[in-house]
């Protein structure tokens, strides 16, 4: 179902991550696709949009990112809770059929070899901004967002639509082990008269 | 009401940020306290626990952090929605009475001059890990968490208790403008028999 996938203007891309969801990180190099879960991903800049993500040295995805210089950060939905938990626990090194076992479908939204996880609510295609000291010392990777998409059933006109989309569209926020929280209700702060 | 504030073991401190809440960053130098809001804060490591936070060059808090080498990252609750939005929009440079206007109460949990915002659910006291290149190029600051506390009405035994605490205790997750989402319901991923 790619009919609902729409480009997101780059100046709105930060909104896809701003509320702190747990994400999936995917990459590809030399015929190998992989997907991992990451709770430690965060917006870093508005224009051009950048983000940070922590990729442990034990992950195969890190190797693919370092080799290809490209990766995708995407926002899984509550419907992908088990899938997200499974790709976060299993390494491709020990489970060569990890993606099939987790039931992951891959799209090639950008037209190249980069894999995008089907069923997510939003996708940020990133070019690695090489920072060897950060990568080696902190496992911290910086990506510049070069393109973004979202499913218009849950993000449109530059805004998340969690209140009107079904509960299966909620972003998920990892705490520890298999424990997550779904994002909840919208709240709007008071506007002061002197502003 | 500090009766409910309990130390959190450092090996559990990452859980206070893992679900991606918007935070308040406070600091102190030379008699000046300040507090700002930051949606771009993220866990970076487990042991010792570290975190990242983006501090724009226009913020007064950044000056205090760079001068003192210390700051607090704390998790505001839904009850602090308006306060969080206000300290995120106003700079101490233009609003010298910013903290009073927002109705912020400060605690000195660590016994020194560092200010901790009253009414939050969790507090992480950080020592700046100086990385001048990251700070200058990306506005990206790294802190090592040297102590942590939480209010036992919403975080205890190493776990968030959002389901049993009242809705006023929910963490808040900023999207844009005055728009936030509260954290929602707990979700537990399936455990597979082969694990």
């Amino acid at each position: 179902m790619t009919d609902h996938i729409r480009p997101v203007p780059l100046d709105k891309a930060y909104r896809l991550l701003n509320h702190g969801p747990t994400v999936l990180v995917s990459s590809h190099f030399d015929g190998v696709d992989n997907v991992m879960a990451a709770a430690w991903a965060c917006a870093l800049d508005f224009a051009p949009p950048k983000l940070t993500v922590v990729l442990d040295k034990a992950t195969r995805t890190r190797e693919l990112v370092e080799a290809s210089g490209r990766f995708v950060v995407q926002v899984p939905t509550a419907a992908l809770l088990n899938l997200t938990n499974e790709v976060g626990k299993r390494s491709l090194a020990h489970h060569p059929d990890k993606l099939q076992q987790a039931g992951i479908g891959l799209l090639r939204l950008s037209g190249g070899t980069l894999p995008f996880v089907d069923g997510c609510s939003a996708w940020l295609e990133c070019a690695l901004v090489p920072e060897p000291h950060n990568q080696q010392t902190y496992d911290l990777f910086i990506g510049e967002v070069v393109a973004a998409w979202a499913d218009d059933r849950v993000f449109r006109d530059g805004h998340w639509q969690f209140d009107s989309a079904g509960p299966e569209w909620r972003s998920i926020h990892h705490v520890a082990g298999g424990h997550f929280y779904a994002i909840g209700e919208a709240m709007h702060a008071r506007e002061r008269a002197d502003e």
Side-chain angles (χ1 to χ4, degrees), chain A residues 3 20 55 57 84 112 117 124 141 154 158 160 169 171 184 190 195:
Chain A
D3 293 355
L55 302 176
K57 292 180 182 68
T84 301
V117 178
L124 300 108
F141 288 71
V154 64
W160 286 106
W169 285 102
S171 57
R190 175 183 65 206
E195 278 160 2

Side-chain angles (χ1 to χ4, degrees), chain A residues 82-166:
Chain A
N82 290 318
L83 179 160
T84 301
N85 192 52
E86 282 172 29
V87 298
K89 290 198 298 185
R90 297 177 166 210
S91 172
L92 195 67
H94 303 109
H95 296 274
D97 61 348
K98 164 183 166 173
L99 301 191
Q100 295 89 327
Q101 281 286 322
I104 284 190
L106 296 177
L107 309 169
R108 309 284 165 178
L109 281 185
S110 59
T113 53
L114 257 183
F116 294 71
V117 178
D118 195 11
C120 284
S121 56
W123 299 263
L124 300 108
E125 179 184 349
C126 299
L128 178 65
V129 178
E131 287 285 0
H133 169 70
N134 286 336
Q135 294 166 210
Q136 193 58 37
T137 306
Y138 301 112
D139 298 337
L140 180 68
F141 288 71
I142 295 176
E144 179 179 329
V145 181
V146 296
W149 295 263
D151 191 299
D152 67 6
R153 289 169 288 185
V154 64
F155 186 94
R156 57 180 179 271
D157 304 328
H159 294 283
W160 286 106
Q161 310 288 340
F162 292 122
D163 285 2
S164 55

